[in-house]
Amino acid sequence: MKKKMDPLTKVKLIYSGELMLFAVVFLVLAILKFTQVMKTNANRLTVFNWITLFGGAWMIADFFWALFDKKRQKRIAIIDKFLTLPAGLYLIVFDLYCLIKHPPLTGRACTYGVPVIFTYFFLIYTFQAIYHFKHPVPGLLNAIVEVDDDKVVDEQEAVVIEEENKEIASSEEKEKQDE
């Protein structure tokens, strides 16, 4: 008979799976751009530059928002914001370079700049998928709404339930060793 997976493990598995899916997408995009299977034209690069210029600015603003807002720090993992800060700075500098220099497609910086950031995002998401399976984001614990008889669980109860599950698992292992 299959053992039923506890809600915390399910949520962690789904969240880590989503992060790993993003990592795979960025890896595929990076490989396609490095091998130049996915070609770059001036219009596509300009659209990419404008979108990522605002995205990079948002990453920096989000970092400072997370750093100074005590209420938000309780819901997020600050390590995620530290990892995306270099990407935000890189994107702003890269985008400004490409937008100022015309035509942007002639330089190596524009040819290899996009796959480099895709590779960095692949590394970030891979790390987050592994890290957040072991150490879930505090706000993720709010996603656990069903335990036993459809009781609503808040963060503190979720942590208590996680500790109880660990104790039960360790006692079961101890009983198996005693046999």
Side-chain angles (χ1 to χ4, degrees):
M1 185 172 176
K2 279 188 174 180
K3 239 184 162 180
K4 199 171 185 185
M5 196 181 305
D6 66 299
L8 182 63
T9 306
K10 283 182 187 178
V11 170
K12 290 190 314 186
L13 197 57
I14 290 169
Y15 185 70
S16 293
E18 288 175 4
L19 291 173
M20 193 54 77
L21 179 67
F22 283 126
V24 169
V25 167
F26 279 112
L27 177 64
V28 169
L29 288 173
I31 291 170
L32 291 175
K33 291 298 272 183
F34 270 128
T35 58
Q36 295 185 355
V37 170
M38 202 164 77
K39 300 284 184 190
T40 303
N41 65 26
N43 292 336
R44 202 178 308 166
L45 184 63
T46 302
V47 170
F48 175 83
N49 289 141
W50 280 107
I51 291 172
T52 56
L53 183 65
F54 292 113
W58 172 251
M59 286 181 202
I60 294 169
D62 189 39
F63 169 77
F64 286 110
W65 181 24
L67 198 60
F68 295 121
D69 188 6
K70 299 294 180 192
K71 189 176 177 183
R72 188 155 189 260
Q73 288 175 359
K74 294 176 185 175
R75 293 178 285 143
I76 61 155
I78 196 75
I79 191 168
D80 295 347
K81 305 307 174 189
F82 276 107
L83 289 173
T84 57
L85 181 65
L89 295 171
Y90 173 84
L91 284 171
I92 288 176
V93 172
F94 173 74
D95 294 335
L96 289 176
Y97 173 79
C98 288
L99 291 171
I100 292 170
K101 181 178 167 45
H102 272 352
L105 298 173
T106 57
R108 283 190 166 194
C110 290
T111 305
Y112 296 112
V114 175
V116 164
I117 196 64
F118 285 162
T119 305
Y120 184 70
F121 280 128
F122 160 72
L123 294 172
I124 287 174
Y125 282 121
T126 302
F127 170 78
Q128 287 178 354
I130 296 166
Y131 180 79
H132 289 310
F133 186 76
K134 297 288 183 186
H135 308 283
V137 177
L140 187 64
L141 297 176
N142 288 334
I144 303 172
V145 291
E146 293 183 13
V147 176
D148 294 333
D149 296 333
D150 295 328
K151 292 190 298 186
V152 176
V153 178
D154 66 343
E155 288 181 33
Q156 294 170 345
E157 289 176 349
V159 171
V160 170
I161 290 169
E162 181 182 44
E163 291 173 359
E164 289 174 357
N165 288 340
K166 287 180 184 177
E167 290 174 7
I168 291 170
S170 65
S171 65
E172 289 175 356
E173 289 176 14
K174 187 177 179 182
E175 288 175 8
K176 287 179 183 178
Q177 290 176 354
D178 291 339
E179 293 176 357

